[in-house]
Amino acid sequence: MSGPKIAHTTLKGPSVVKEIIIASALGLTAGMFWKMHHWNEQRKVRQFYDLLDKGEISVVVEE
């Protein structure tokens, strides 16, 4: 008299291909956000120097 058979899941090791794909996706996403941040900062700096060249702003304090 044995009890009912219960199917137990066997633990497998990590899937190397799956980990490589996940790491690549996370890396590309983080890299994309980092690059967008740099493009935004570059745009701000370029806009500042354009306004400085046009004479619309000045870095010298007016008295």
Side-chain angles (χ1 to χ4, degrees), residues 49-58:
Y49 281 110
D50 286 343
L51 291 174
L52 193 62
D53 288 341
K54 291 177 185 176
E56 294 180 20
I57 62 171
S58 175

Side-chain angles (χ1 to χ4, degrees), residues 24-34:
S24 297
L26 289 174
L28 287 172
T29 303
M32 179 187 67
F33 282 117
W34 185 253

